[in-house]
Amino acid sequence: RWIAKKSQGVQLVNGQTGRPELDWLYNTVSRLARQANLPMPEVGYYEWPEVNAFATGPSKSKTLVAVTAGLMRNMRQDEIEGVIAHELAHIQNGDMVTMTLIQGVVNAFVLYLSRVIAGVVRNMVDERNAYLVGFLVTIVLDIVLGILGMMIVAWFSRAREFRADAGAASVAGRGKRIAALRR
């Protein structure tokens, strides 16, 4: 059987599946990981018609690179290599952990600031309405500051995506990354 194990819909492949496209995928990830001086990640495949891929994991030595069936069916091998190199660049840059930390810090600031400001407002209004006013101000500020926080996180995310594109171009070659982006 070509499936090493199944986790949340992603089937892990080991390069000995007997399915040429999945064995090629595993071998390509292996080759590109070596070129990027990364430990070999687990390689996953999941049945999904959309063209997509992702990398995940808590450290460079415990990662997964997965692609969809839609990506495998709708892209040429050189384009797929550009996508895989992009995902490996995310691993190399530590983007999974970095973005999680950035999101956590932003969320902490949103919660803290909304409650501090709501506390100040609550102290400025009549005691009979203080709880309700504080509650409403907290909700409004959670929403407004949350939106502003999402913009900050999106800015960091976009910067990390450009950095992963540059890393992919250096590992797989500029032409393969451009081909993947054009597709």
Side-chain angles (χ1 to χ4, degrees), residues 23-106:
D23 294 340
W24 175 86
L25 172 65
Y26 181 88
N27 293 326
T28 300
V29 171
S30 177
R31 178 175 47 80
L32 292 173
R34 277 192 312 276
Q35 285 176 235
N37 294 317
L38 287 170
M40 179 63 183
E42 290 187 302
V43 179
Y45 171 85
Y46 59 108
E47 281 296 331
W48 190 256
E50 303 297 322
V51 174
N52 203 0
F54 68 87
T56 189
S59 68
K60 290 180 183 179
S61 61
K62 291 186 176 249
T63 57
L64 166 74
V65 172
V67 301
T68 62
L71 182 135
M72 295 294 289
R73 288 185 193 116
N74 294 305
M75 295 183 91
R76 297 185 320 260
Q77 287 185 344
D78 64 323
E79 296 165 341
I80 296 169
E81 284 188 46
V83 171
I84 292 168
H86 175 89
E87 298 308 327
L88 290 170
H90 279 304
I91 294 169
Q92 194 166 43
N93 297 336
D95 289 341
M96 292 84 60
V97 172
T98 301
M99 289 308 300
T100 300
L101 290 173
I102 289 170
Q103 183 70 62
V105 169
V106 167

